[in-house]
Every structure is written in structure tokens, then in C-alpha cells.
Amino acid sequence: MVATPTPPEVALLPNGSPRRYVYVQTFGCQMNVNDTDRIFQVLEPFNYRPTDDPAQASLILLNTCSVRDKAEQKMLSQLGRLAPLKDYNDDLILGVAGCVAQQEGERLLKKVPHLDLVFGPDHIADLPGLVERARAKERVSETRFTKRKEFAFIEAAPREETRISEFVTIMKGCDKVCSFCIVPFTRGREVSKPADAVVREVERLVAAGAREVTLLGQNVNSYGKDLQGDRIPTFAQLLREVDAVAGLERLRFTTSHPMDCIDELVGCFGELRTLCEFFHLPVQSGNDRILREMRRFYTAAEYREKVAALRRQSPQIALSTDIIVGYPGETDAEFEDTLTLLADVRYDSIFAFKYSPRPGTRAAELPDSVPEAVKRERLARVLALQDAVTRTRMEAYVGQTVEVLVEGPSRMASKGQTTRWQLMGRTRTNVIVNFPVPLGEFWSDRWIGSLATVNVEQAKSNSLYGTLA
Ligand code: SAH
Ligand code: F3S
């Protein structure tokens, strides 16, 4: 919600330039969350400070997601809600970043008259200049893809408050051809960040206080395939290099395409000290015909074999996946194969989506033939099945002793407020654990980033409760 606007504070800094505030609302995946950090980073030298009050901002950006239609609609209605702020604040620039910006470009400027600026993910580094053009009353749209060879990553600078758990982008784009997916259109071709830069970034974050790092990419397993020169590590080799960074406690990555999940990568689990026992391996469907139509290039049996290999290597490994229900032409029987796969694999958690046709994708040329009501029913059945599996998986933790990386004070579930007597952190398998601070103590900063050994006493649907061992 947007509160009654108040005029923004425009204080002059010693160098004579105004201090301004930027408000960014982030939609969608971790990639966007990470891009938002880069947006703050490139604007900082131009005296923009982040704010969480849109009424205070002289630059408002929506960092958007277009992977499903719903995400796009949410962004459009938010733009409508923000529009009145422009009546109160002549200084205000309103912009759209991210995947919808890349996909729509100029069209978005035409559709939304109060919009000043549209720019794609490849243009974050250009943002200060784009904003200046918008301040000079130009309506700016910048969505050209940077050529693969010319693309330069913005190396993350640690923020004032480095989080215990940080993300490091190791590549952008996706060279896969999944028929339903808009990502290759909005994020372009794969470009890998040079390994030295990745390691440097991790070292810097760890020096600034991070204990856990998640390497990010649309398909991290194909890391390095585009790199040139004499030092081109595979993804598994990159994991080894990052694992060797002193002071790092935990290493994660996301996301992987099952086809590229090979023995070399499987072999890293249980072998690399920091590599956590957690793997997000999107399957999408349990039916071979649908998988072929989706152009995923594996069968359900091949996928199951990958899962078996991971579990042989690392028996405690927690698995999660993505599921799409109601792909064009998916029959009841084909859908049942997805349920069977879920029941057999017994994931720790899943993300499930109703198929949503995306403009320009191959699947969008097919009629969106599964009725909405059927999609809804299939989604409900997937979630009900998974709820039961997740519950038994969570209950299996009760009585176990787990290592918890403490992130901070617990949030009280209902109110979103933090407590002073209860800590929260995660297991290596990525489950949230809450436990009380020892008697007579309150929460303090010193807990953050420590590894606690916790006896699990109770399991709820999304988190565990226990006491310090
Ligand atoms: N490799 C990427 C996938 C991005 S999209 C990653 O980093 O996760 C994330 C998930 O959204 C996909 O795995 C898929 O399950 C879902 N998805 C993508 N396109 C979709 C569409 N058109 N309709 C419904 N779900 C979709
Ligand atoms: Fe999308 Fe498939 Fe790439 S789901 S991001 S095209 S691996």
C-alpha cells in the first residue's frame, strides 16, 4: 500500500549534488533479488540511498518477473497504485526493470503513460545514465542484449550490513530450449562469470561476515561452457575452488538442469566440506511424452536414476523440485505420472505451478488446452500429496541433533515481529530451526553467524523447534 505522500527530502551533499532515495520492489526469483542489490550498488556513487518508503523516493523501480502471467499482472497493478505519487512529486522517476521490461520494452512505455524508464537486466550498469536521461524528460527504453563477448558482470561489493547468507551470481542467461520458458528470451544467452571473479567475490563476502554462499544461475551446471582462455573450470571444479575459501561454512547453488547433473557434480556431495546436503532439481513432469514436448531431454526413468545416484552419494541429501501442471495436452493419465513420481521420490519440498503460456515461447503456439478448473484441481492434488510427504519428512527430524547456522532472532509467525529470546537458523538441508536463547540471556548480535548444535523436539509444517544441545 502507498501511504499519503510527503515531499522527498533532497538534501545537498558536500559535493553539491542532491541526496536522493531509491525504492525498489522486487518480484520473482533470486536472480532478481540479486539484481536489486546490484541496482543499489551502481546508484550509490550517485548519491541514491535505498528507502523502503515509496513516498520518500525520487526513483521508484519495479524489478519484474515474467515467468508466469500472474507475476506480470501483479506488477502492472502495482504500477497503477504508484502512479498518483507522480502528482505529488515532480522529481519522481518511475521505472520498470527485470524480465517484463526486457520482454515488453517500448510497448510498456506505450501501455503505461506515467512510466519514465524501462530497462532490461543487461543494462543495470548503465542505470545512472538512463535515469539522468529520464530526468531530462526523455522516456527511456533500453532492452538491447549485450553481446556475449562484451558482457561484463558487476562484481558484488559487500554492503554495510553483509548478510550471513549471501548470493553470488556465477552466470547469466540460459541456453536451454524448454518449450514453456520465457527466461532465454528475457535473460539472453549464457555468459559465465570468470572463476577468479567468483572466488574473489566469495572471499570478499566472507571477509565482510558472510558464512554461507549460494551460487546463482539459471542452469549452473553448464557453467564455463562459454568461457575462453586457459582456465575454464567445470561447475564441479568451481565448487571445489569456492569450497577452499577460508571462513566459508556453507556452500549452496541453484538451479540445475537434470540433464547436466553429471557424476562429477554428484561426487562433490559428501566430499566438499562446505557443500550442503541440498539439491533443487526441477523435474517439471513425471511423464515421458510431456517431458519430450517440454524439450527437457530426459525421461522420468533417467531423472529417477539421477536422484538415486545423489542419494547413494549423500544419503541425507534433501531434494526439492519444480512441477508444472496442465501443460498443453496433458491428459489425466499423464498427470498421474507426475503424482507417482512425487510419491516415489518423496521430495523435501516442491514448487508447483499451473502452466501459463508465455509470449514467444514454443509452447505458446499450442492451444492452452487444459481448462483452468482442471489445472487448479491438479495443482491442489500435487500440493496435498506433497504436504503429506513434507510432514513425515519434517517429523523425521524430531529426536535428531542438527547443525544450525544462526541467522538472527526468530520471527513470530503471526505478527512478523522478531523475538528477543528465540533464535532462528537453518540446517544444512535448508530447514528452518527455531530455538530459545539459553536462560538468562537475550538475543544479541553475537549469535549471528554462529553454528549451533540443536536437539530437535518438535516439527511444524515449515519449521522445526528445539533446544541447544
Ligand atoms: N532454471 C530456472 C528456471 C526458471 S523458471 C531456475 O533457475 O529456476 C522457474 C520455474 O518456473 C521452472 O522450473 C518451471 O517449473 C516454472 N515455469 C517456467 N515457465 C513456466 C510457465 N510458462 N508456466 C508455469 N510455470 C513455469
Ligand atoms: Fe527456463 Fe529451462 Fe532455462 S526452465 S531457465 S529454459 S533450463
Side-chain angles (χ1 to χ4, degrees):
M1 278 316 295
V2 176
T4 319
T6 47
E9 176 196 333
V10 185
L12 284 189
L13 292 176
N15 61 10
S17 61
R19 150 124 345 138
R20 290 185 157 119
Y21 288 93
V22 49
Y23 172 83
V24 184
Q25 186 173 358
T26 312
F27 299 80
C29 67
Q30 274 312 327
M31 213 67 75
N32 271 9
V33 175
N34 201 258
D35 282 353
T36 294
D37 283 344
R38 300 291 80 69
I39 286 174
F40 290 139
Q41 186 181 331
V42 300
L43 289 172
E44 216 247 12
F46 294 84
N47 295 326
Y48 282 90
R49 296 289 175 273
T51 175
D52 44 24
D53 176 9
Q56 190 191 30
S58 56
L59 173 61
I60 293 181
L61 298 173
L62 302 186
N63 193 4
T64 59
C65 170
S66 65
V67 80
R68 284 167 293 275
D69 186 53
K70 216 165 108 190
E72 203 175 320
Q73 293 308 325
K74 241 164 78 181
M75 179 282 291
L76 282 172
S77 58
Q78 179 64 354
L79 264 185
R81 272 197 295 273
L82 291 168
L85 287 180
K86 288 196 65 118
D87 298 337
Y88 292 88
N89 180 1
D90 292 336
D91 198 41
L92 176 61
I93 300 291
L94 191 54
V96 173
C99 288
V100 179
Q102 183 63 42
Q103 179 194 315
E104 295 295 314
E106 292 271 351
R107 272 199 301 264
L108 205 54
L109 286 183
K110 293 211 179 85
K111 215 187 293 181
V112 187
H114 54 276
L115 191 60
D116 304 295
L117 169 63
V118 176
F119 66 102
D122 275 11
H123 293 279
I124 292 174
D126 310 328
L127 183 56
L130 301 178
V131 172
E132 279 322 298
R133 279 164 56 193
R135 290 210 181 283
K137 299 289 171 229
E138 183 186 346
R139 298 189 79 207
V140 181
S141 164
E142 189 54 275
T143 56
R144 280 167 299 179
F145 277 125
T146 308
K147 286 204 196 84
R148 199 178 240 184
K149 285 203 194 88
E150 287 158 18
F151 185 84
F153 285 93
I154 305 168
E155 268 189 53
R159 284 177 302 268
E160 275 165 40
E161 268 181 60
T162 299
R163 287 177 281 235
I164 287 306
S165 180
E166 286 279 352
F167 291 89
V168 172
T169 304
I170 64 164
M171 54 193 303
K172 71 138 213 149
C174 185
D175 284 0
K176 294 274 184 273
V177 289
C178 306
S179 63
F180 51 83
C181 185
I182 199 160
V183 170
F185 302 93
T186 58
R187 294 274 168 171
R189 301 294 304 276
E190 282 171 5
V191 184
S192 303
K193 187 184 278 181
D196 293 340
V198 173
V199 173
R200 215 164 38 231
E201 209 169 301
V202 174
E203 284 171 346
R204 247 188 271 136
L205 287 167
V206 169
R211 288 290 164 266
E212 172 176 289
V213 159
T214 303
L215 305 182
L216 274 187
Q218 298 294 346
N219 176 24
V220 289
N221 309 149
S222 58
Y223 174 81
K225 286 183 183 156
D226 59 294
L227 285 174
Q228 317 248 311
D230 48 4
R231 209 171 93 69
I232 307 172
T234 61
F235 179 58
Q237 286 163 343
L238 181 72
L239 284 179
R240 281 170 202 280
E241 291 190 28
V242 174
D243 178 64
V245 172
L248 183 70
E249 292 291 353
R250 290 179 173 189
L251 176 58
R252 304 180 189 277
F253 59 84
T254 197
T255 300
S256 312
H257 190 290
M259 250 229 326
D260 297 337
C261 173
I262 49 169
D263 294 347
E264 192 198 9
L265 177 60
V266 175
C268 291
F269 286 94
E271 202 198 301
L272 301 188
R273 178 185 63 90
T274 62
L275 187 61
C276 290
E277 293 72 31
F278 180 84
F279 205 137
H280 179 63
L281 195 60
V283 66
Q284 314 299 357
S285 163
N287 175 267
D288 288 345
R289 189 190 74 86
I290 295 292
L291 286 171
R292 224 172 21 247
E293 289 283 311
M294 287 178 164
R295 301 178 148 228
R296 293 288 289 181
F297 301 111
Y298 53 82
T299 63
E302 284 163 347
Y303 180 91
R304 286 165 191 259
E305 182 38 46
K306 306 258 180 200
V307 168
L310 280 164
R311 285 187 167 148
R312 277 194 300 273
Q313 177 74 19
S314 172
Q316 304 87 21
I317 200 163
L319 297 174
S320 72
T321 202
D322 292 343
I323 298 285
I324 296 179
V325 300
Y327 186 82
E330 184 188 60
T331 64
D332 285 339
E334 287 166 341
F335 167 67
E336 294 289 335
D337 286 344
T338 298
L339 290 179
T340 307
L341 182 126
L342 287 173
D344 291 348
V345 173
R346 298 177 55 78
Y347 292 97
D348 292 75
S349 57
I350 66 165
F351 301 90
F353 312 102
K354 292 181 284 184
Y355 168 73
S356 162
R358 305 314 294 134
T361 60
R362 285 186 71 94
E365 293 165 18
L366 306 166
D368 183 12
S369 60
V370 178
E372 176 61 26
V374 176
K375 282 184 191 168
R376 202 179 317 130
E377 196 234 14
R378 287 181 187 171
L379 183 67
R381 287 182 66 195
V382 161
L383 294 177
L385 189 156
Q386 184 57 39
D387 270 359
V389 176
T390 300
R391 197 164 328 118
T392 47
R393 284 208 158 270
M394 293 291 278
E395 273 157 15
Y397 280 100
V398 176
Q400 283 190 34
T401 303
V402 292
E403 181 202 90
V404 177
L405 177 62
V406 179
E407 293 176 17
S410 291
R411 292 192 167 274
M412 288 198 280
S414 54
K415 301 192 182 110
Q417 292 161 338
T418 53
T419 66
R420 284 169 56 72
W421 45 271
Q422 184 150 275
L423 300 169
M424 85 54 85
R426 279 166 212 272
T427 63
R428 286 173 62 99
T429 51
N430 212 26
V431 178
I432 292 176
V433 182
N434 299 287
F435 61 97
V437 177
L439 217 61
E441 281 192 50
F442 279 126
W443 178 83
S444 78
D445 278 355
R446 78 178 180 89
W447 291 99
I448 293 187
S450 64
L451 287 172
T453 309
V454 175
N455 294 325
V456 180
E457 289 159 359
Q458 194 194 353
K460 293 203 178 161
S461 51
N462 295 316
S463 55
L464 301 172
Y465 289 79
T467 48
L468 276 172

